[in-house]
C-alpha cells in the first residue's frame, strides 16, 4: 500500500530501527503516528502506550479504535538472551505481551474501521528467530513464531476484505536492542548482523509492495525452509554454536 496521505500507526517508533522506518514513511508522504513509552526524538504525532501490561493495552487500544487507520505496523519488541530459567517472570510475561499479545490486540482495534472502508494493511515485524528457534532465545523465538502464525492466520481470515497482512522477518540487526552478551555471542559464532538502515528500507518496501511473507538474509532465509521440513538438519547445523553459547553462561571457575 502506498504511504502518501495514508494514516500509519507504528509501534516502537522511538527506537533505533523505529526512527529509521518512521523517517522513510514520512519521506514517502505518510501521516505517521508513533506508539511508544517515550516520544520520538525527531518529534511528530505520538501516542504514549505501554504494550507490556493488560491495563496499558486496554487504554491504548481504546484510543486507537476511536480513530481511522490505513496501516498498522507492529514493530515493538523485547528480547531475553540466556537460559530460560534465568529470565525473570516479569520479563517473560512482558516478552509475550509486547511481541505477540500487543500486535493481536492492536489488530483487533484497527480492523473494524479497515474492513468498513474496504482497505487497510497490518504489517508485523517478526524475526528469522521465529522460524529458526535458537537456543537461549526461547521466549523471543517462541513469541516471534506466534507472531508469524498470527500473521498467516489473519491473512487467511481477511481474504476478500481489502485488508492485507505482511510479515517481515529480519535476521540479527545491529541495534541497541542487543545486549553485550548478544554481541559476544554473535562474535563467538560468526553470526552476521545487518545494518539497521538497510533493513529499515527493506521493511518499508515490503509494506509498500503488499508483500506477504518476507525473510531477510542469506543463508538464514534458506534455513527457514529447511527447518520447516527437516528440523533435524538445523539441529545438527546449530549444535556447535549452541554449545558455544552455553559456555557464555557457565559459572566462573576458581583459578
Amino acid at each position: 500500500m502506498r504511504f502518501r496521505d495514508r494514516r500509519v500507526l507504528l509501534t516502537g517508533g522511538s527506537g533505533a530501527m523505529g526512527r529509521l522506518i518512521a523517517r522513510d514513511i514520512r519521506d514517502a508522504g505518510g501521516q505517521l503516528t508513533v506508539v511508544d513509552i517515550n516520544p520520538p526524538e525527531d518529534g511528530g504525532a505520538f501516542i504514549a502506550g505501554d504494550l507490556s501490561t493488560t491495563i496499558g493495552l486496554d487504554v491504548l487500544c481504546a484510543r486507537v479504535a476511536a480513530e481511522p487507520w490505513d496501516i498498522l505496523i507492529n514493530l515493538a519488541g523485547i528480547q531475553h538472551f540466556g537460559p530460560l530459567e534465568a529470565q525473570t517472570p516479569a520479563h517473560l510475561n512482558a516478552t509475550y505481551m509486547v511481541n505477540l499479545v500487543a500486535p493481536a490486540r492492536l489488530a483487533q482495534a484497527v480492523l473494524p474501521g479497515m474492513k468498513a472502508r474496504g482497505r487497510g494493511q497490518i504489517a508485523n515485524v517478526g524475526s528469522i528467530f521465529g522460524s529458526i528457534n535458537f537456543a537461549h532465545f526461547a521466549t523471543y523465538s517462541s513469541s516471534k513464531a506466534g507472531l508469524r502464525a498470527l500473521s498467516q492466520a489473519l491473512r487467511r481470515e481477511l481474504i476478500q476484505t481489502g485488508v492485507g497482512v505482511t510479515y517481515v522477518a529480519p535476521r540479527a540487526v545491529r541495534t541497541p536492542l542487543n545486549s553485550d552478551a548478544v554481541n559476544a555471542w554473535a562474535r563467538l559464532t560468526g553470526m552476521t548482523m545487518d545494518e539497521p538502515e538497510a533493513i529499515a528500507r527493506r521493511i518499508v518496501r515490503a509494506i509498500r509492495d503488499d508483500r506477504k511473507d518476507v525473510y531477510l538474509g542469506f543463508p538464514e532465509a534458506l534455513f527457514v525452509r529447511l527447518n520447516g521440513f527437516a528440523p533435524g538438519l538445523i539441529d545438527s547445523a546449530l549444535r556447535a554454536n549452541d554449545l558455544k553459547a552455553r559456555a557464555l553462561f557457565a559459572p566462573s571457575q576458581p583459578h
Side-chain angles (χ1 to χ4, degrees), residues 116-132:
R117 292 186 297 277
R119 73 162 194 263
Q121 188 174 6
I122 295 170
N124 294 323
V125 180
S127 172
I128 289 289
F129 286 46
S131 297
I132 307 170

Side-chain angles (χ1 to χ4, degrees), residues 79-201:
Q79 165 191 111
H80 170 75
F81 172 58
L84 178 64
E85 66 269 23
Q87 186 173 13
T88 67
H91 196 276
L92 185 150
N93 290 336
T95 298
Y96 288 110
M97 290 294 291
V98 174
N99 294 358
L100 180 56
V101 177
R105 289 291 312 278
L106 286 167
Q108 287 182 318
V110 301
L111 274 173
M114 289 182 176
K115 291 169 75 173
R117 292 186 297 277
R119 73 162 194 263
Q121 188 174 6
I122 295 170
N124 294 323
V125 180
S127 172
I128 289 289
F129 286 46
S131 297
I132 307 170
N133 301 297
F134 280 82
H136 304 103
F137 289 91
T139 54
Y140 182 72
S141 284
S142 57
S143 62
K144 292 298 188 178
L147 185 60
R148 176 175 178 254
L150 173 68
S151 302
Q152 292 178 341
L154 190 56
R155 185 183 302 127
R156 291 164 181 160
E157 182 176 321
L158 295 172
I159 191 170
Q160 296 184 339
T161 64
V163 182
V165 179
T166 295
Y167 176 76
V168 188
R171 62 183 177 182
V173 182
R174 201 180 305 280
T175 73
L177 178 66
N178 301 320
S179 65
D180 290 342
V182 170
N183 290 327
W185 169 73
R187 291 191 297 270
L188 187 67
T189 60
M191 169 168 278
T192 301
M193 283 195 175
D194 291 320
E195 295 302 324
E197 292 83 0
I199 297 305
R201 286 194 299 269

